[in-house]
Amino acid sequence: MPRYEVTIEKAACDGIFACLTRDPRFIEGEDGLATIDPTADPVYDCEGEVTDNAERVVATFDDDRIDEAQQAAAACPTNAIIVEEVGE
């Protein structure tokens, strides 16, 4: 399974939430912007490491759901989401 990072650049996020309809791990954060909660998906038991600071949210996953994350990134009209495979 690929290991990948999902990054949300908060300065670029407008809270449109097109990502939420593509990947249920994306949720609305307390600041009104998109964030990531690995436990938010009611279907899949997902684990991931999430770092959330003033500039960005970075989540690292090691599962077979990179396509869903890439679909969420593609749906973002402000290009605030980046999905990249990372080394082990």
Side-chain angles (χ1 to χ4, degrees):
M1 285 185 271
R3 183 170 174 80
Y4 59 98
E5 280 186 355
V6 179
T7 303
I8 302 172
E9 295 293 341
K10 290 185 178 184
C13 181
D14 281 344
I16 297 167
F17 303 120
C19 55
L20 276 65
T21 64
R22 305 303 194 280
D23 187 333
R25 296 174 290 182
F26 287 83
I27 62 168
E28 182 176 355
E30 291 180 14
D31 57 3
L33 302 176
T35 190
I36 301 170
D37 180 357
T39 65
D41 189 334
V43 176
Y44 295 99
D45 184 17
C46 183
E47 292 183 18
E49 300 171 23
V50 180
T51 303
D52 189 342
N53 61 39
E55 290 87 31
R56 66 189 51 88
V57 178
V58 179
T60 305
F61 296 99
D62 189 4
D63 58 33
D64 60 354
R65 298 180 64 199
I66 190 170
D67 289 340
E68 290 175 52
Q70 290 170 331
Q71 289 173 14
C76 180
T78 62
N79 296 318
I81 303 169
I82 301 163
V83 179
E84 298 177 303
E85 284 194 48
V86 294
E88 310 223 5

